[in-house]
Amino acid sequence: MIAADNLQKTTGETNGETKFDLLTYLKERQKLCEAALDEAVPMRYPDKIYEAMRYSLLAGGKRLRPVLCLATCEMTGGTIELAMPTACAVEMVHTMSLIHDDLPAMDNDDYRRGKLTNHKVYGEDIAILAGDGLLAYAFEYIAVNTKNVPCEQVLQVIAHLGRASGAAGLVGGQVVDLESEGKLDTNEETLTYIHNHKTAALLESSVVCGGILAGASSEDLLLLSRYSQNIGLAFQIVDDILDVTSTQEQLGKTAGKDLRAQKVTYPSIWGIEESKNKAQQLISNACAELAPFGEKAQPLIAIAEFITSRDR
Amino acid sequence: MIAADNLQKTTGETNGETKFDLLTYLKERQKLCEAALDEAVPMRYPDKIYEAMRYSLLAGGKRLRPVLCLATCEMTGGTIELAMPTACAVEMVHTMSLIHDDLPAMDNDDYRRGKLTNHKVYGEDIAILAGDGLLAYAFEYIAVNTKNVPCEQVLQVIAHLGRASGAAGLVGGQVVDLESEGKLDTNEETLTYIHNHKTAALLESSVVCGGILAGASSEDLLLLSRYSQNIGLAFQIVDDILDVTSTQEQLGKTAGKDLRAQKVTYPSIWGIEESKNKAQQLISNACAELAPFGEKAQPLIAIAEFITSRDR
């Protein structure tokens, strides 16, 4: 869940007057997503795997990806209903990547979103399988549950999400991230590759798939792609800043990890202040892409601005 | 690759005269599948993950699932071309499940198909990610590469394969399998659940998806589903028998695992001879389902009979 004081600050700061109430908007959308995710993965036999999948999927979090998916679908002329199965699917893929990244063989993390990580509760074997189960289910869920969308577009969504989830996206980013650990000569190009794939790819897919489901033109999809790549990179820079400046209690996950892992990050290259400026610049660029959508772009613009002001 | 002497024995025994040359048929189909898989996952940056994915995907094996997918598509009026992307995808999912099952946190196996397992070569982190990459790519590959099939049917294939790969299929079977280790009171019902999910689900999906791609009727899909569930269970019984009766050299993977893991198997419940009879009965039942397809069912019948006569 998002801290109210932080959000109201965002809304106030960025819109001058509170013409768009991001706090209420996000709370309402998060609630819709929570309910949809709860319904999407009911308890079934064998209990243990569904319990493990639900443990991480329903562990809170900002629900940024599904909210972006719904918001983009609405902005480009669609409805929440059209996009909800895909919104759930992107959160399933995101959760899979968190469960697998936290494993001892990867980042070896004990806490996530203020709770024990999946493998600390269910064991490594079940955590690996819970991730696999969520990943496979994401595609099944889109294929089975998307209604009132031409099926060519549903196939495009599956292709886009598949690409963002695999070696050309998330997985590729994580591989280069693992390789860069302990290498203090990692250059900015490699760092940008990592963030564009590990973080931006799935954010981009959440946004672009929302547009595809609404039947957005290829020109609009290009704007959406640029918007989301910019917010994706900004999101990761802010993540790296928070890793340095926050405590574990604030983050709900281990803080100071990058320094201990001897990882090059944007703050380690540019320093905190310059990193903050870069993130802000990326957000401005992102929002500029949405100019053609006028007033309708308010939610996406507010979400972009929230990214740089968040404190966890 | 399949041993020639074993195959010729199968062909001779089952058809009396060699009216259908299974050896030539399988060799030709395996070769087509190998080439298609090689092309499906080319080397790209980051090299390490594509290398790891290709290491296991191109490690040989019987290619039973993709061959079944192609054969079913042809039997029900389709072509090899329609089914090849899905045939590749089922092999990607199968390979993912082998890579993850072999991990130290799961079955902890050092050898597979006569080669070191993925994590022994690339490390556990990359092995987990290679599995994730193959799983995500399977769905992307079907969505992007299936041509000349109505997209409703492509979505049905993705839904079917997603179900077979996740907690309602492969993953669920593996969970119950892990739970049953060391429990010598596992009953036959649980054992059948494990095999129906861990083994039969993906075989069934390979067959049924071949039919869906060809536009088979729902009645025919039902016959195909029963055929493949029967051969799936028979396949696993034969696997369990081979685990007892073969050496590591013959299997290309560790032998005698079930006994060491104190696993209940069909041979441990019924003994070797009775298990062989049950497998043979299942194969007969499977072939009986294909009667309505007449002569066209020859490849699927020959493959079913090969399953009980194989020696690895």
Side-chain angles (χ1 to χ4, degrees):
Chain A
M1 287 296 143
I2 296 170
D5 54 343
N6 186 32
L7 271 169
Q8 274 165 342
K9 196 183 66 181
T10 309
T11 318
E13 263 176 18
T14 57
N15 298 323
E17 50 195 319
T18 43
K19 56 184 177 179
F20 179 75
D21 182 356
L22 183 64
L23 173 63
T24 307
Y25 177 87
L26 283 181
K27 275 198 168 166
E28 182 216 331
R29 297 311 166 96
Q30 284 170 341
K31 210 172 150 187
L32 285 174
C33 293
E34 296 288 339
L37 288 166
D38 187 18
E39 199 186 338
V41 186
M43 283 301 301
R44 289 208 180 99
Y45 179 81
D47 295 3
K48 201 174 181 181
I49 190 69
Y50 287 98
E51 204 184 303
M53 287 161 65
R54 287 174 57 86
Y55 175 81
S56 293
L57 190 64
L58 304 177
K62 295 177 284 290
R63 308 303 187 192
L64 191 59
R65 291 157 193 80
V67 169
L68 279 168
C69 183
L70 301 180
T72 309
C73 188
E74 282 190 293
M75 181 182 79
T76 50
T79 63
I80 289 182
E81 288 68 34
L82 295 185
M84 191 56 97
T86 300
C88 289
V90 295
E91 193 69 2
M92 289 174 202
V93 172
H94 175 56
T95 305
M96 172 286 293
S97 78
L98 300 181
I99 296 173
H100 283 187
D101 283 3
D102 286 339
L103 286 166
M106 304 254 236
D107 295 351
N108 193 19
D109 243 312
D110 292 353
Y111 289 94
R112 167 74 67 181
R113 292 173 177 168
K115 295 171 68 176
L116 284 171
T117 45
N118 200 289
H119 65 273
K120 294 299 282 183
V121 179
Y122 297 99
E124 281 180 58
D125 48 358
I126 297 296
I128 294 166
L129 291 166
D132 295 348
L134 285 169
L135 183 56
Y137 193 53
F139 299 101
E140 179 191 353
Y141 199 71
I142 295 173
V144 172
N145 294 285
T146 307
K147 307 289 177 209
N148 303 317
V149 176
C151 58
E152 292 87 346
Q153 286 158 232
V154 182
L155 283 179
Q156 278 176 47
V157 164
I158 288 168
H160 204 286
L161 182 60
R163 192 172 163 79
S165 312
L170 270 180
V171 164
Q174 176 70 352
V175 168
V176 180
D177 194 18
L178 288 167
E179 280 176 349
S180 77
E181 265 184 34
K183 283 189 193 167
L184 291 172
D185 60 345
T186 301
N187 60 28
E188 201 181 316
E189 193 191 349
T190 304
L191 195 59
T192 303
Y193 177 92
I194 293 169
H195 296 337
N196 278 344
H197 290 76
K198 198 173 163 176
T199 309
L202 192 57
L203 283 166
E204 193 215 359
S205 207
S206 307
V207 168
V208 171
C209 289
I212 294 171
L213 291 162
S217 68
S218 52
E219 293 75 26
D220 282 354
L221 293 179
L222 204 61
L223 299 180
L224 293 172
S225 171
R226 286 198 296 254
Y227 159 83
S228 48
Q229 283 176 2
N230 279 312
I231 65 166
L233 191 50
F235 185 87
Q236 188 57 49
I237 294 175
V238 172
D239 235 36
D240 289 351
I241 295 170
L242 292 174
D243 184 71
V244 180
T245 60
S246 297
T247 64
Q248 177 167 334
E249 285 66 37
Q250 284 169 317
L251 290 182
K253 62 182 178 183
T254 315
K257 272 167 55 183
D258 296 334
L259 194 65
R260 277 198 301 282
Q262 298 204 292
K263 259 190 201 176
V264 171
T265 63
Y266 287 105
S268 79
I269 295 178
W270 298 327
I272 299 284
E273 277 315 302
E274 184 58 18
S275 297
K276 281 185 180 172
N277 293 341
K278 294 247 181 195
Q280 193 52 57
Q281 185 58 50
L282 287 163
I283 293 299
S284 301
N285 297 348
C287 295
E289 298 287 349
L290 302 183
F293 296 102
E295 282 285 296
K296 281 196 224 154
Q298 272 192 339
L300 287 192
I301 288 172
I303 293 169
E305 285 165 346
F306 161 68
I307 283 175
T308 41
S309 66
R310 74 198 168 95
D311 60 8
R312 63 175 180 166
Chain B
M1 287 298 142
I2 297 169
D5 54 342
N6 186 33
L7 271 168
Q8 276 166 340
K9 194 183 66 181
T10 310
T11 319
E13 262 176 20
T14 57
N15 298 322
E17 51 195 318
T18 44
K19 55 185 177 178
F20 178 75
D21 182 356
L22 183 64
L23 173 62
T24 307
Y25 177 87
L26 282 181
K27 275 198 167 165
E28 182 216 333
R29 296 311 165 97
Q30 283 170 342
K31 208 171 152 188
L32 286 175
C33 293
E34 297 288 340
L37 288 167
D38 187 19
E39 198 187 340
V41 186
M43 281 302 299
R44 290 209 181 99
Y45 179 81
D47 295 3
K48 202 172 179 183
I49 189 69
Y50 287 97
E51 204 184 303
M53 287 160 66
R54 287 174 57 87
Y55 175 81
S56 293
L57 189 64
L58 304 177
K62 294 177 284 290
R63 308 302 187 193
L64 191 59
R65 291 156 193 81
V67 169
L68 279 168
C69 183
L70 301 180
T72 309
C73 188
E74 282 191 292
M75 181 183 77
T76 50
T79 63
I80 289 182
E81 288 68 33
L82 296 185
M84 191 56 96
T86 300
C88 289
V90 295
E91 193 68 4
M92 290 174 201
V93 172
H94 175 57
T95 304
M96 173 285 293
S97 78
L98 299 182
I99 296 173
H100 283 187
D101 283 4
D102 286 338
L103 286 166
M106 305 255 238
D107 295 352
N108 193 19
D109 241 313
D110 292 354
Y111 289 94
R112 168 74 67 182
R113 292 172 177 167
K115 295 171 69 176
L116 284 171
T117 44
N118 200 289
H119 66 273
K120 295 299 282 183
V121 178
Y122 298 99
E124 282 180 57
D125 48 359
I126 297 295
I128 295 167
L129 291 166
D132 295 348
L134 285 169
L135 183 56
Y137 193 53
F139 300 100
E140 179 191 353
Y141 199 70
I142 295 173
V144 171
N145 294 285
T146 306
K147 306 290 177 209
N148 303 317
V149 176
C151 58
E152 292 87 344
Q153 285 158 232
V154 182
L155 283 179
Q156 278 176 47
V157 164
I158 288 168
H160 204 286
L161 182 59
R163 192 172 163 80
S165 311
L170 271 180
V171 164
Q174 176 70 352
V175 168
V176 181
D177 194 18
L178 288 167
E179 280 176 347
S180 77
E181 265 184 35
K183 283 189 195 168
L184 290 173
D185 59 345
T186 301
N187 60 27
E188 201 181 316
E189 193 191 348
T190 304
L191 195 60
T192 303
Y193 177 92
I194 294 170
H195 296 336
N196 277 346
H197 290 76
K198 198 173 163 176
T199 309
L202 192 57
L203 283 166
E204 192 216 0
S205 206
S206 307
V207 168
V208 171
C209 289
I212 294 171
L213 291 162
S217 67
S218 52
E219 292 76 26
D220 282 354
L221 292 180
L222 204 62
L223 298 180
L224 293 172
S225 171
R226 286 198 296 254
Y227 159 82
S228 48
Q229 283 176 2
N230 278 314
I231 65 165
L233 191 50
F235 184 86
Q236 188 57 51
I237 295 175
V238 172
D239 235 36
D240 289 352
I241 295 171
L242 291 175
D243 183 71
V244 181
T245 59
S246 297
T247 63
Q248 176 167 332
E249 285 65 39
Q250 285 170 316
L251 289 182
K253 62 182 179 183
T254 316
K257 272 167 55 182
D258 297 334
L259 195 64
R260 278 197 301 282
Q262 296 204 291
K263 258 190 201 175
V264 172
T265 63
Y266 286 105
S268 80
I269 295 178
W270 298 327
I272 300 284
E273 277 316 303
E274 183 58 17
S275 297
K276 282 185 180 172
N277 292 342
K278 294 247 180 194
Q280 193 53 57
Q281 186 57 50
L282 286 163
I283 294 299
S284 301
N285 296 349
C287 296
E289 297 286 351
L290 302 182
F293 297 101
E295 281 283 297
K296 282 195 223 157
Q298 272 193 338
L300 287 191
I301 289 172
I303 294 169
E305 285 165 346
F306 161 68
I307 283 174
T308 43
S309 66
R310 74 198 167 97
D311 60 8
R312 63 176 180 168

